[in-house]
Amino acid sequence: MHRFSQYTTVDEGDFAYVEVSTDATSWTPVAEMGETTFGTRVLNLSSELAGEPEAWIRFRYTDSGLWCWYWAVDSVEVLGHN
């Protein structure tokens, strides 16, 4: 579950991203929030991570230095199979 609260108008300040990586150096965005939203979000990462022996998932929030609102993330569940 998550709650992203936008402080200003869209494209002006605060954004939230879910990103994946196979080397913990270069990151690929798989979801972006720029408007107030909340609830359960399901992401299928199989095309980005298929066949990779290791993977990283990060949750990144930026307020572009404007002291905006917040993004809360809770109860993350990662499922996969070989």
Side-chain angles (χ1 to χ4, degrees):
M1 296 198 59
H2 79 106
R3 179 171 179 86
F4 173 74
S5 288
Q6 177 191 32
Y7 178 70
T8 59
T9 61
V10 176
D11 296 331
E12 192 177 296
D14 45 345
F15 294 94
Y17 304 92
V18 179
E19 300 169 325
V20 296
S21 177
T22 57
D23 62 9
T25 302
S26 57
W27 295 90
T28 302
V30 293
E32 176 181 323
M33 277 68 63
E35 297 181 31
T36 297
T37 180
F38 61 91
T40 300
R41 180 109 184 232
V42 177
L43 299 174
N44 184 339
L45 306 176
S46 59
S47 62
E48 291 84 3
L49 304 176
E52 296 294 335
E54 294 183 314
W56 288 262
I57 302 170
R58 76 177 177 184
F59 303 88
R60 185 170 61 90
Y61 171 81
T62 180
D63 67 2
S64 301
L66 299 175
W67 292 84
C68 296
W69 291 116
Y70 61 88
W71 185 30
V73 179
D74 188 26
S75 300
V76 174
E77 186 173 1
V78 178
L79 305 172
H81 59 84
N82 294 335

